[in-house]
Amino acid sequence: MKQTTKEIQIQKRMQLGNISADGFLGKDKRHYLDIIAEDENKILELDYTIDQIADRLEELTAEAFKSPEGPTNFGTLTLDYFSYRGKVTCPFADPGVYAKAKVTARNTENDVQLCWTPLNIHLIRKHHFFEGKGAEFRLDPEQLIKCIF
Amino acid sequence: MLIVILKEVLILTALFGVLTAVIVIAKMIFSNYGDCTITINDKRELTVKGGLSLLSSLAEKDIFIPSACGGRGSCGTCKCKVTTGGGPLLPTEKPFLDAKELAGDIRLSCQVKVKESISINIPEEIFNVRKFKATIAEIADYTHDIKGITFKLLEPNNIDFKAGQYVQLMTPKYAKQKQSVSRAYSISSKPSLKNQFQLIIRRVPEGICTTWVHDHLKVGDKVNLTGPYGDFFIRDTKADIIYVAGGSGKAPIKSMLEDLKEKGTDRRMAYFFGAVTKKDLYLTDYMEEFKQVFDDFDYYPVLSNPTEEEKWEGRKGFVMPFFSEYIKDPKNTEAYLCGSPRMLDSVCKELVKMGVPEDNIYFDSFA
């Protein structure tokens, strides 16, 4: 597949050591556009939309943020927000920075547990990118939907 | 037939060669900005070779504007006022500048290219920032994810800083990391120790610098850094002081207390340290010892979510509800805060609600 200069730069920024220690692709050898395409299909198959997922993640992040004293219950979910000093940028080189933080969520009904960052939400909403398999903050669409809805 | 093809290939190759040469020569002519002058604060002039970013041009002259991303235009830290020259504002700068900064000619020095003579205003303290080589003298494990790192300075072999300021540590290329990055960390030791200093560094998931510090850095390793930076230091007033910190945010407060111990103070002071569980507490005995040093000082560790097994009998929850135990005269109280952005946000709101003037609340700008 012939890549544009922009795509080559994005793929490079996703490698380990550029923006984050282990990168955004994990052990996934596929091009990021192929990762996006497969995840988009999966979401369609599950009858959800990208915006629904991003909206829900934003809502849960805001709920978790409200509880500085530790985990909080929100419906069937237990949420916890961890915040670190510093900021991180988008591998697609969008302007702006994202807080270094992570939200953990556990669905008490099915025991599915996962975590995401503020950058994850941006990557999902704007780029439909859930990260490569094996990446620290990869959000498998099927597991994510099971957890947050 | 073969000869004809070869002839055409040769002609094409020669054409490409000529075109490449024309492009290279044109680049040399049009990208050669010659020597440019950078006038700083209307009183100091530097002659630099044009074409580099303002940030890099200044660094080549040993003037280090703070930058957390190493000049990649992603942190928005390297702001300075450009009064003349500098070209038009770039789209890469706009997201980092508010309306007041845009109106005040503030630019990101990593995005401004020096293509002509340029005039800038930077704080005088920047001239005190130097580049250092140091060796790692000691690494202490404070908690499961926090280490205290002692640096012995090699070249230059002494540093002048105010308690509360920070340095920028540069990572080398390590393991599979292909590029060097620099990150800001508050100094946690007292300023009177001129030839060494300590940083307290918490592991950040996926953090390039903190992974290097926690998993690769060893005693005896040589490192590079720049500093000191920042305006987070104790103001010389008589006001009561409330310190609030969490995690590695203990670093600058420790430096401030050690400094005040040497200089002496009769100010009323209290220190609230927030953590999740008992395993996140560290240097507690050391902080308690300051009660014997100062006439009016208290240390309050507060745990937000202690486990039952820990049998924690101290204060529980977030730190804010306990401020009222200490703050008697909010208008005459100064707050020094260091921690995660979320903690800073919650604490600032509570302090303002209690009547502490916003101008009396200080924190690290790089959090």
Side-chain angles (χ1 to χ4, degrees), chain A residues 16-17 21 64 67 85 89 97, chain B residues 74 95 176-177 206 304 342 364 367:
Chain A
L16 51 82
S67 169
R85 302 178 82 191
T89 56
V97 286
Chain B
S74 58
K176 290 179 180 171
Q177 310 297 326
E206 287 287 283
S304 63
R342 181 202 199 191
D364 271 338

Side-chain angles (χ1 to χ4, degrees), chain A residues 12-102:
Chain A
K12 197 176 160 196
R13 279 192 290 269
M14 287 184 176
Q15 304 294 325
L16 51 82
N18 272 286
I19 291 174
S20 69
D22 290 326
F24 296 83
L25 298 170
K27 288 173 183 162
D28 214 320
K29 300 285 179 214
R30 293 175 298 166
H31 191 275
Y32 76 89
L33 290 173
D34 295 328
I35 297 171
I36 289 172
E38 186 183 301
D39 288 338
E40 281 175 335
N41 286 336
K42 190 74 199 172
I43 288 158
L44 271 176
E45 198 181 289
L46 295 166
D47 206 18
Y48 279 88
T49 66
I50 289 285
D51 277 342
Q52 269 178 302
I53 293 172
D55 287 347
R56 179 69 171 163
L57 286 173
E58 263 174 15
E59 181 190 16
L60 298 176
T61 302
E63 279 303 318
F65 190 88
K66 276 187 213 164
S67 169
E69 294 175 18
T72 182
N73 293 320
F74 185 66
T76 59
L77 291 165
T78 303
L79 303 166
D80 208 356
Y81 189 104
F82 301 88
S83 180
Y84 303 88
R85 302 178 82 191
K87 296 184 173 71
V88 67
T89 56
C90 169
F92 291 85
D94 292 332
V97 286
Y98 300 85
K100 279 187 182 171
K102 70 172 180 180

Side-chain angles (χ1 to χ4, degrees), chain B residues 12 43 82-83 89-90 147 177 179-180 196 209 219 234 247 259 324 339 366:
Chain B
L12 276 175
K43 56 186 177 191
V82 178
T83 51
L89 188 75
L90 301 176
K147 286 181 190 286
Q177 310 297 326
Q179 59 187 18
S180 169
Q196 67 174 56
C209 192
V219 169
I234 294 182
D259 190 37
S324 57
F366 70 85

Side-chain angles (χ1 to χ4, degrees), chain B residues 127-301:
Chain B
F127 299 119
N128 191 32
V129 175
R130 289 186 291 171
K131 192 171 182 177
F132 294 91
K133 281 187 168 57
T135 187
I136 305 302
E138 191 186 347
I139 299 177
D141 286 317
Y142 283 153
T143 72
H144 60 104
D145 66 351
I146 293 177
K147 286 181 190 286
I149 318 285
T150 304
F151 298 74
K152 190 172 187 304
L153 291 167
L154 300 173
E155 191 190 332
N157 63 3
N158 64 83
I159 183 170
D160 277 318
F161 67 95
K162 288 180 186 169
Q165 287 192 298
Y166 67 92
V167 294
Q168 295 217 148
L169 183 59
M170 291 178 220
T171 69
K173 292 171 188 170
Y174 72 94
K176 290 179 180 171
Q177 310 297 326
K178 289 175 187 144
Q179 59 187 18
S180 169
V181 299
S182 62
R183 295 286 184 267
Y185 298 101
S186 301
I187 301 171
S188 56
S189 49
K190 57 189 171 186
S192 61
L193 285 175
K194 297 285 181 198
N195 70 335
Q196 67 174 56
F197 66 89
Q198 189 205 40
L199 303 179
I200 293 176
I201 299 178
R202 184 184 187 190
R203 185 192 286 275
V204 175
E206 287 287 283
I208 295 174
C209 192
T210 64
T211 302
W212 167 62
V213 167
H214 277 257
D215 297 343
H216 299 272
L217 195 64
K218 301 183 301 295
V219 169
D221 283 355
K222 304 256 189 308
V223 297
N224 293 313
L225 52 109
T226 58
Y229 297 100
D231 54 6
F232 182 60
F233 46 81
I234 294 182
R235 270 50 181 179
D236 189 14
T237 70
K238 294 282 178 198
D240 294 348
I241 295 179
I242 179 171
Y243 304 100
V244 187
S248 57
K250 184 168 266 178
I253 313 296
K254 175 176 172 284
S255 177
M256 288 171 174
L257 291 172
E258 288 180 352
D259 190 37
L260 287 174
K261 180 182 173 182
E262 286 190 346
K263 291 175 176 166
T265 184
D266 57 1
R267 293 172 74 169
R268 230 181 122 242
M269 301 190 290
Y271 180 4
F272 293 84
F273 182 74
V276 180
T277 66
K278 237 172 144 176
K279 73 181 171 71
D280 300 307
L281 292 177
Y282 64 102
L283 294 176
T284 304
D285 290 343
Y286 183 70
M287 292 297 144
E288 296 278 356
E289 283 170 19
F290 285 106
K291 289 182 184 174
Q292 311 303 318
V293 174
F294 302 115
D295 293 340
D296 199 343
F297 173 80
D298 256 314
Y299 179 63
Y300 304 96

